[in-house]
Amino acid sequence: MDHATTFMGYYRPDGQVGIRNYVIAVANCSCANGIINQIAARVPGIVPMIHTDGCSTPRENERWRETLVGVCCNPNVYAVVLVGVGCETDDAKEIGQRVAKESKKPVFAAVVQQDGGGAKVIEAAVKAGRQFVADSARCVRQEAPISKIILATECGGSDAFSGITANPAIGYVSDWIVNNGGTSILSEIPELFGTEEILARRSITPEVGQKVKDLIYEWQERTRYLLGENTGRTLARGNMDGGLTTIQEKALGCVHKGGTSTVMDVIGYSERIGDRKGLIIMDGPGYDTDNVTGCVASGAQLFMFSTGRGNPLGYPIAPVIKICSNSKTYYAVGGDEGDMDINAGAIITDGMKPEELGEKCIEYLLDVCNGKQTRPEILGYGGAMCVWSTSSPF
């Protein structure tokens, strides 16, 4: 099937293209979350980004800082309202200046302890936020090439069918994005144990292949140190209930999300993709919420997310296309009007060919890029901005 190789998106001053057009309100430190909620309540259309970070050790705060800046610079964001407390590790106004410089988008930043207290900051932020929302409403979609898309791939609540139906379908889409000059992110490193040689052989150079192996080996050693002989059985209860037995078995299904494309580079958690094209591996945990945030900070505009058990996760500023691996779960969580977007179980129950499913997924992705809402968006499953802690083992 011939698909469109363009979509209608929002061009940003820095050259990126968004598929959504959000104004966000976010705290520089979680102590200001209450203020963010007040701003969001008074400015219809603004998206609150609630989190639990922002005041920590230098090592933790470096990751938080880069993730915060990355999320604010994501192409799906039109403008940013940033509120700091004043006693946290980083200064909110300095962070705001950095976001404005790197993304060239409108930013309002205030600090409670410098700018007259919470009530005054709320008043100023509400005024700025209302103007940003009004300005964003005047933005129009323009034609853009698929090469502007950064697709993130994710799985959560996997089962024994995930590696047979849903993940290969995601890989089919990933390859299509890459073949059209775009970028795809494969992450969740603990769920790639045992695939390091496969991915290394697919790497653009021996040096990139070694980076892939080093990253996966590092995670394996960390896991062995913590779990000893239980390393190969680091599976969630739902994974086991779904028929998976070892992490290696799960990984051999998870790796299909990366399709067959060449691995072009390995990047750190929330590291900006920039001009990189092709399949990119991002360091990140198996925790879905934390890993999704890292991909958004890296620049991903949307996700293809497989699940066998029925994970309903969405994200506040990036559409998450939910692909269910089996028909039983698809209908158990609501069917066509439920939590899932696509039933990959049709390969087993309805005789759909894998290639047909892949083509359907590409068409669905194009529709989402052009403005179609995913099921998590329709149902309001926005979720939260969760950042992977450097002290977390997984």
Side-chain angles (χ1 to χ4, degrees), residues 54 147 228 267 295:
S147 59
I267 64 173
C295 292

Side-chain angles (χ1 to χ4, degrees), residues 279-296:
L279 179 63
I280 306 295
I281 293 179
M282 185 193 81
D283 186 10
Y287 297 137
D288 298 329
T289 50
D290 298 21
N291 200 66
V292 165
T293 293
C295 292
V296 170

Side-chain angles (χ1 to χ4, degrees), residues 83-240:
V83 176
V85 175
C87 49
E88 67 267 37
T89 310
D90 287 333
D91 182 86
K93 293 180 181 178
E94 292 178 0
I95 296 296
Q97 290 171 358
R98 181 179 165 189
V99 171
K101 181 179 180 180
E102 293 186 16
S103 68
K104 301 179 177 62
K105 64 184 60 176
V107 178
F108 168 86
V111 177
V112 171
Q113 294 167 4
Q114 298 173 7
D115 297 322
K120 288 190 176 181
V121 165
I122 290 171
E123 288 301 321
V126 165
K127 181 178 179 181
R130 286 174 175 164
Q131 186 62 58
F132 289 162
V133 170
D135 293 342
S136 70
R138 289 191 285 271
C139 294
V140 295
R141 290 181 179 268
Q142 299 176 9
E143 189 172 27
I146 291 299
S147 59
K148 291 290 187 179
I149 290 295
I150 300 175
L151 169 69
T153 63
E154 189 81 17
C155 56
S158 300
D159 71 350
F161 292 106
S162 295
I164 301 171
T165 61
N167 289 341
I170 292 176
Y172 190 95
V173 179
S174 176
D175 284 342
W176 181 81
I177 291 285
V178 169
N179 290 337
N180 281 280
T183 308
S184 178
I185 301 175
L186 178 66
S187 188
E188 303 174 283
I189 307 305
E191 299 179 5
L192 294 176
F193 288 2
T195 70
E196 56 274 4
E197 294 293 342
I198 297 171
L199 292 170
R201 286 195 297 270
R202 285 171 48 189
S203 297
I204 186 69
T205 64
E207 291 75 20
V208 171
Q210 191 60 50
K211 287 169 68 174
V212 172
K213 291 195 285 188
D214 288 346
L215 179 60
I216 296 177
Y217 289 154
E218 177 187 345
W219 273 91
Q220 288 175 329
E221 287 302 313
R222 191 184 314 165
T223 308
R224 287 192 189 99
Y225 175 77
L226 292 167
L227 300 178
E229 64 182 15
N230 292 316
T231 298
R233 296 187 288 275
T234 52
L235 291 173
R237 177 178 57 82
N239 294 154
M240 291 185 282

